[in-house]
Amino acid sequence: MENEKLNSKIKNISRISVVGLIAYIVIAAYAMFPDAKQGFIDGWNDYENGVEGIKNPALWKILTAFPCSIAMITALVITIVAGLQLLFGMSRGASPFTEKVSKAIKNMGVSLIVFELTRALFVYISDEFVEIGMLWLAGLVLYAFSLVFRYGTVLQRESDETL
């Protein structure tokens, strides 16, 4: 009985979290659109008027900024996809102690660490100061949780085999 209540709560929270995450992504994209549109128009107008925006940036900055931005976007997408996979699996009532769940948590943790490190490098390249946020710590915590879930998977398998 207690197990059924817990599973029901996990399903409900997971469903609410999926809806919340999707709503957050949609709202963030909608809020970003006017600024991106205005920036594009301003850049286009400056180009047509012959105004130089950035005066000869260093080659190493150009060559480093592009891979950093690609790595940041990739890490963010992996984090979101892994989080949605995890939440969808939990909302369907699947056991949390599976290899798939532990891998999703590990992917989220590693992606957050990569995102934070590449973001710090990108800020250093563009503004020439070091700023490191707390996402790397969240990534480490998620990676540690993935190890706990992997251990739980082993225990679950041993428990299933003994019955």
Side-chain angles (χ1 to χ4, degrees):
M1 184 67 175
E2 184 71 25
N3 195 15
E4 291 175 16
K5 282 184 178 180
L6 185 59
N7 282 338
S8 175
K9 286 182 182 180
I10 289 172
K11 285 181 187 179
N12 290 336
I13 291 296
S14 298
R15 289 178 184 149
I16 291 169
S17 299
V18 166
V19 171
L21 182 60
I22 291 171
Y24 177 78
I25 291 169
V26 168
I27 290 170
Y30 179 75
M32 195 172 25
F33 181 72
D35 292 337
K37 180 181 171 189
Q38 188 60 43
F40 179 78
I41 291 170
D42 290 344
W44 186 275
N45 290 338
D46 285 348
Y47 177 76
E48 284 183 346
N49 296 333
V51 177
E52 261 186 69
I54 299 175
K55 304 217 189 256
N56 299 324
L59 182 63
W60 72 271
K61 286 185 177 185
I62 295 170
L63 294 176
T64 314
F66 183 70
C68 280
S69 61
I70 296 298
M72 285 172 46
I73 291 169
T74 304
L76 188 61
V77 167
I78 289 171
T79 302
I80 291 171
V81 168
L84 285 173
Q85 284 177 339
L86 182 66
L87 291 172
F88 279 132
M90 299 301 286
S91 68
R92 290 186 195 119
S95 172
F97 297 110
T98 63
E99 280 293 320
K100 189 174 183 179
V101 170
S102 66
K103 283 182 183 179
I105 295 172
K106 181 181 87 168
N107 289 342
M108 287 174 57
V110 171
S111 295
L112 286 176
I113 293 169
V114 168
F115 178 81
E116 187 59 41
L117 293 177
T118 54
R119 190 195 65 79
L121 181 60
F122 190 78
V123 168
Y124 177 73
I125 290 168
S126 61
D127 297 335
E128 296 184 357
F129 70 92
V130 177
E131 176 186 85
I132 298 177
M134 296 298 289
L135 283 179
W136 66 271
L137 183 59
L140 284 176
V141 169
L142 282 174
Y143 188 80
F145 276 136
S146 77
L147 297 176
V148 170
F149 274 81
R150 185 176 298 153
Y151 182 67
T153 302
V154 171
L155 292 178
Q156 181 74 39
R157 190 178 311 126
E158 287 177 3
S159 173
D160 291 344
E161 290 173 358
T162 57
L163 294 176

